[in-house]
Amino acid sequence: MCARSTSDRDAATGSRAARSGIDASTAARGAGAGAAAFVATYVVSFLLWTFVELPEPNSFGEAFNQAVIGVVRDSVPAWQGAGYVLFNAQFVEVTFEGALAESTFSIIALADSSLLALAYLVPPVALVAAGYVVASSPSIRGTGQSAAAGALVVVGQLVLVIVAAFAFTAEGNAGTLSVPLANAVIVAGVVYPVVFGAIGGALAEVA
């Protein structure tokens, strides 16, 4: 009787151990949380791009930079302009290709000293929160496993980064504005979600 009880307990423990760890459901949660983090970042970027007023320029350089932002605002729909802010917030610059010149720039950097700089904070916060949610599961145990689970937000983020990089391409008479796909994939699609998702996952273990 006692031996049978011990055997039952061992079997139950083994069953729980088999169920613990990262599995397909963890990856699915990571994909969903990563996608949600991307959407949340885009919504905040849209609000900042639409409603933030630029300060009065104090120099010719600031006036020129704000003129460039004005051209972008007048040339592309707000939903695309917000996409540029989203990528700039993750240090992916926008590329302009014209008939006579090509350049890269960051709208946030051009809007120096404005509240648009708050956009830099949004992707890390959203991805840390997403990683925390993914790792907050009874099946995830240990800091290493929690960090790995949190990093799975890369699945959802990467897919939407690729889609967005194509969607935010805008062509006009003066030239084309676009997000460089390689930079977008490496930085916004992989590095940001892996690093900040893992941080969120690790926090879930120690919380």
Side-chain angles (χ1 to χ4, degrees), residues 151-177:
L152 287 175
V153 299
V154 68
V155 178
Q157 174 98 346
L158 178 58
V159 170
L160 291 186
V161 161
I162 294 172
V163 172
F166 287 104
F168 296 145
T169 297
E171 297 183 358
N173 294 330
T176 302
L177 285 171

mmCIF file of all heavy atoms in Angstrom, residues 151-177:
data_model
loop_
_atom_site.group_PDB
_atom_site.id
_atom_site.type_symbol
_atom_site.label_atom_id
_atom_site.label_comp_id
_atom_site.label_asym_id
_atom_site.label_seq_id
_atom_site.Cartn_x
_atom_site.Cartn_y
_atom_site.Cartn_z
ATOM 1 N N ALA A 151 11.878 35.778 -24.381
ATOM 2 C CA ALA A 151 12.480 36.128 -25.667
ATOM 3 C C ALA A 151 11.644 35.648 -26.843
ATOM 4 O O ALA A 151 11.835 36.117 -27.974
ATOM 5 C CB ALA A 151 13.894 35.559 -25.759
ATOM 6 N N LEU A 152 10.711 34.743 -26.596
ATOM 7 C CA LEU A 152 9.867 34.231 -27.681
ATOM 8 C C LEU A 152 8.903 35.286 -28.236
ATOM 9 O O LEU A 152 8.242 35.038 -29.245
ATOM 10 C CB LEU A 152 9.075 33.011 -27.204
ATOM 11 C CG LEU A 152 9.898 31.732 -27.033
ATOM 12 C CD1 LEU A 152 9.048 30.630 -26.438
ATOM 13 C CD2 LEU A 152 10.479 31.285 -28.370
ATOM 14 N N VAL A 153 8.851 36.459 -27.597
ATOM 15 C CA VAL A 153 8.052 37.535 -28.197
ATOM 16 C C VAL A 153 8.607 37.922 -29.562
ATOM 17 O O VAL A 153 7.931 38.582 -30.354
ATOM 18 C CB VAL A 153 7.997 38.780 -27.277
ATOM 19 C CG1 VAL A 153 7.345 38.443 -25.942
ATOM 20 C CG2 VAL A 153 9.388 39.375 -27.058
ATOM 21 N N VAL A 154 9.833 37.487 -29.850
ATOM 22 C CA VAL A 154 10.435 37.762 -31.153
ATOM 23 C C VAL A 154 9.588 37.193 -32.287
ATOM 24 O O VAL A 154 9.568 37.747 -33.402
ATOM 25 C CB VAL A 154 11.877 37.181 -31.210
ATOM 26 C CG1 VAL A 154 11.852 35.658 -31.204
ATOM 27 C CG2 VAL A 154 12.615 37.683 -32.443
ATOM 28 N N VAL A 155 8.862 36.104 -32.013
ATOM 29 C CA VAL A 155 8.071 35.463 -33.068
ATOM 30 C C VAL A 155 7.023 36.428 -33.622
ATOM 31 O O VAL A 155 6.929 36.638 -34.837
ATOM 32 C CB VAL A 155 7.392 34.185 -32.535
ATOM 33 C CG1 VAL A 155 6.536 33.549 -33.632
ATOM 34 C CG2 VAL A 155 8.429 33.197 -32.016
ATOM 35 N N GLY A 156 6.233 37.018 -32.728
ATOM 36 C CA GLY A 156 5.192 37.938 -33.179
ATOM 37 C C GLY A 156 5.732 39.259 -33.671
ATOM 38 O O GLY A 156 5.247 39.815 -34.672
ATOM 39 N N GLN A 157 6.761 39.779 -32.995
ATOM 40 C CA GLN A 157 7.333 41.067 -33.376
ATOM 41 C C GLN A 157 7.962 40.987 -34.765
ATOM 42 O O GLN A 157 7.773 41.876 -35.597
ATOM 43 C CB GLN A 157 8.387 41.489 -32.343
ATOM 44 C CG GLN A 157 9.161 42.751 -32.703
ATOM 45 C CD GLN A 157 8.658 44.002 -32.057
ATOM 46 O OE1 GLN A 157 7.564 44.037 -31.509
ATOM 47 N NE2 GLN A 157 9.465 45.042 -32.102
ATOM 48 N N LEU A 158 8.706 39.933 -35.020
ATOM 49 C CA LEU A 158 9.430 39.820 -36.286
ATOM 50 C C LEU A 158 8.477 39.796 -37.476
ATOM 51 O O LEU A 158 8.719 40.460 -38.493
ATOM 52 C CB LEU A 158 10.298 38.563 -36.282
ATOM 53 C CG LEU A 158 11.090 38.280 -37.565
ATOM 54 C CD1 LEU A 158 12.012 39.441 -37.906
ATOM 55 C CD2 LEU A 158 11.886 36.986 -37.416
ATOM 56 N N VAL A 159 7.404 39.054 -37.362
ATOM 57 C CA VAL A 159 6.445 38.956 -38.471
ATOM 58 C C VAL A 159 5.869 40.330 -38.799
ATOM 59 O O VAL A 159 5.817 40.740 -39.970
ATOM 60 C CB VAL A 159 5.308 37.973 -38.116
ATOM 61 C CG1 VAL A 159 4.192 38.044 -39.155
ATOM 62 C CG2 VAL A 159 5.845 36.554 -38.011
ATOM 63 N N LEU A 160 5.463 41.070 -37.770
ATOM 64 C CA LEU A 160 4.857 42.379 -38.020
ATOM 65 C C LEU A 160 5.887 43.407 -38.473
ATOM 66 O O LEU A 160 5.550 44.329 -39.232
ATOM 67 C CB LEU A 160 4.135 42.861 -36.757
ATOM 68 C CG LEU A 160 2.876 42.070 -36.398
ATOM 69 C CD1 LEU A 160 2.146 42.700 -35.224
ATOM 70 C CD2 LEU A 160 1.935 41.967 -37.592
ATOM 71 N N VAL A 161 7.123 43.279 -38.033
ATOM 72 C CA VAL A 161 8.181 44.177 -38.502
ATOM 73 C C VAL A 161 8.376 44.022 -40.007
ATOM 74 O O VAL A 161 8.504 45.013 -40.736
ATOM 75 C CB VAL A 161 9.504 43.901 -37.751
ATOM 76 C CG1 VAL A 161 10.699 44.458 -38.524
ATOM 77 C CG2 VAL A 161 9.462 44.524 -36.365
ATOM 78 N N ILE A 162 8.391 42.800 -40.482
ATOM 79 C CA ILE A 162 8.568 42.559 -41.922
ATOM 80 C C ILE A 162 7.387 43.127 -42.705
ATOM 81 O O ILE A 162 7.574 43.813 -43.730
ATOM 82 C CB ILE A 162 8.727 41.053 -42.196
ATOM 83 C CG1 ILE A 162 10.033 40.545 -41.583
ATOM 84 C CG2 ILE A 162 8.707 40.780 -43.705
ATOM 85 C CD1 ILE A 162 10.197 39.040 -41.629
ATOM 86 N N VAL A 163 6.180 42.868 -42.234
ATOM 87 C CA VAL A 163 4.992 43.399 -42.911
ATOM 88 C C VAL A 163 5.020 44.929 -42.916
ATOM 89 O O VAL A 163 4.762 45.570 -43.945
ATOM 90 C CB VAL A 163 3.710 42.889 -42.219
ATOM 91 C CG1 VAL A 163 2.476 43.582 -42.794
ATOM 92 C CG2 VAL A 163 3.582 41.376 -42.371
ATOM 93 N N ALA A 164 5.344 45.518 -41.767
ATOM 94 C CA ALA A 164 5.345 46.976 -41.645
ATOM 95 C C ALA A 164 6.415 47.625 -42.511
ATOM 96 O O ALA A 164 6.194 48.704 -43.084
ATOM 97 C CB ALA A 164 5.548 47.374 -40.188
ATOM 98 N N ALA A 165 7.570 46.998 -42.615
ATOM 99 C CA ALA A 165 8.644 47.577 -43.423
ATOM 100 C C ALA A 165 8.199 47.767 -44.877
ATOM 101 O O ALA A 165 8.580 48.747 -45.534
ATOM 102 C CB ALA A 165 9.885 46.687 -43.360
ATOM 103 N N PHE A 166 7.384 46.859 -45.370
ATOM 104 C CA PHE A 166 6.845 47.008 -46.726
ATOM 105 C C PHE A 166 5.671 47.995 -46.751
ATOM 106 O O PHE A 166 5.550 48.821 -47.664
ATOM 107 C CB PHE A 166 6.393 45.653 -47.268
ATOM 108 C CG PHE A 166 7.526 44.738 -47.638
ATOM 109 C CD1 PHE A 166 7.883 43.684 -46.825
ATOM 110 C CD2 PHE A 166 8.239 44.949 -48.806
ATOM 111 C CE1 PHE A 166 8.932 42.835 -47.169
ATOM 112 C CE2 PHE A 166 9.293 44.108 -49.166
ATOM 113 C CZ PHE A 166 9.639 43.054 -48.335
ATOM 114 N N ALA A 167 4.817 47.916 -45.724
ATOM 115 C CA ALA A 167 3.609 48.751 -45.706
ATOM 116 C C ALA A 167 3.932 50.232 -45.577
ATOM 117 O O ALA A 167 3.183 51.086 -46.070
ATOM 118 C CB ALA A 167 2.697 48.316 -44.566
ATOM 119 N N PHE A 168 5.045 50.563 -44.919
ATOM 120 C CA PHE A 168 5.363 51.962 -44.668
ATOM 121 C C PHE A 168 6.196 52.594 -45.780
ATOM 122 O O PHE A 168 6.714 53.692 -45.624
ATOM 123 C CB PHE A 168 6.086 52.112 -43.321
ATOM 124 C CG PHE A 168 5.237 51.728 -42.140
ATOM 125 C CD1 PHE A 168 5.796 51.116 -41.035
ATOM 126 C CD2 PHE A 168 3.869 51.977 -42.142
ATOM 127 C CE1 PHE A 168 5.016 50.759 -39.948
ATOM 128 C CE2 PHE A 168 3.082 51.622 -41.062
ATOM 129 C CZ PHE A 168 3.650 51.010 -39.957
ATOM 130 N N THR A 169 6.331 51.917 -46.902
ATOM 131 C CA THR A 169 7.003 52.512 -48.057
ATOM 132 C C THR A 169 6.045 53.480 -48.749
ATOM 133 O O THR A 169 4.901 53.130 -49.051
ATOM 134 C CB THR A 169 7.438 51.427 -49.058
ATOM 135 O OG1 THR A 169 8.390 50.568 -48.430
ATOM 136 C CG2 THR A 169 8.059 52.055 -50.299
ATOM 137 N N ALA A 170 6.495 54.704 -48.946
ATOM 138 C CA ALA A 170 5.658 55.740 -49.554
ATOM 139 C C ALA A 170 6.379 56.329 -50.763
ATOM 140 O O ALA A 170 7.518 56.787 -50.659
ATOM 141 C CB ALA A 170 5.346 56.833 -48.542
ATOM 142 N N GLU A 171 5.720 56.316 -51.910
ATOM 143 C CA GLU A 171 6.304 56.852 -53.139
ATOM 144 C C GLU A 171 5.582 58.132 -53.546
ATOM 145 O O GLU A 171 4.355 58.218 -53.473
ATOM 146 C CB GLU A 171 6.212 55.825 -54.266
ATOM 147 C CG GLU A 171 6.994 54.547 -53.998
ATOM 148 C CD GLU A 171 6.928 53.584 -55.159
ATOM 149 O OE1 GLU A 171 6.246 53.908 -56.159
ATOM 150 O OE2 GLU A 171 7.547 52.511 -55.070
ATOM 151 N N GLY A 172 6.360 59.129 -53.948
ATOM 152 C CA GLY A 172 5.791 60.398 -54.397
ATOM 153 C C GLY A 172 6.586 60.953 -55.553
ATOM 154 O O GLY A 172 7.532 60.320 -56.048
ATOM 155 N N ASN A 173 6.221 62.146 -55.983
ATOM 156 C CA ASN A 173 6.917 62.772 -57.105
ATOM 157 C C ASN A 173 8.365 63.102 -56.772
ATOM 158 O O ASN A 173 9.247 63.037 -57.635
ATOM 159 C CB ASN A 173 6.180 64.049 -57.519
ATOM 160 C CG ASN A 173 4.798 63.752 -58.078
ATOM 161 O OD1 ASN A 173 4.576 62.697 -58.659
ATOM 162 N ND2 ASN A 173 3.872 64.688 -57.897
ATOM 163 N N ALA A 174 8.606 63.453 -55.512
ATOM 164 C CA ALA A 174 9.961 63.846 -55.124
ATOM 165 C C ALA A 174 10.870 62.647 -54.881
ATOM 166 O O ALA A 174 12.097 62.756 -54.987
ATOM 167 C CB ALA A 174 9.912 64.708 -53.867
ATOM 168 N N GLY A 175 10.303 61.510 -54.548
ATOM 169 C CA GLY A 175 11.119 60.346 -54.242
ATOM 170 C C GLY A 175 10.356 59.337 -53.407
ATOM 171 O O GLY A 175 9.125 59.403 -53.292
ATOM 172 N N THR A 176 11.101 58.413 -52.810
ATOM 173 C CA THR A 176 10.510 57.319 -52.038
ATOM 174 C C THR A 176 11.040 57.317 -50.623
ATOM 175 O O THR A 176 12.252 57.414 -50.399
ATOM 176 C CB THR A 176 10.825 55.962 -52.696
ATOM 177 O OG1 THR A 176 10.322 55.961 -54.023
ATOM 178 C CG2 THR A 176 10.193 54.825 -51.910
ATOM 179 N N LEU A 177 10.127 57.207 -49.670
ATOM 180 C CA LEU A 177 10.486 57.015 -48.266
ATOM 181 C C LEU A 177 10.253 55.551 -47.918
ATOM 182 O O LEU A 177 9.208 54.990 -48.253
ATOM 183 C CB LEU A 177 9.636 57.900 -47.358
ATOM 184 C CG LEU A 177 9.958 59.386 -47.316
ATOM 185 C CD1 LEU A 177 8.873 60.134 -46.538
ATOM 186 C CD2 LEU A 177 11.316 59.626 -46.664
#
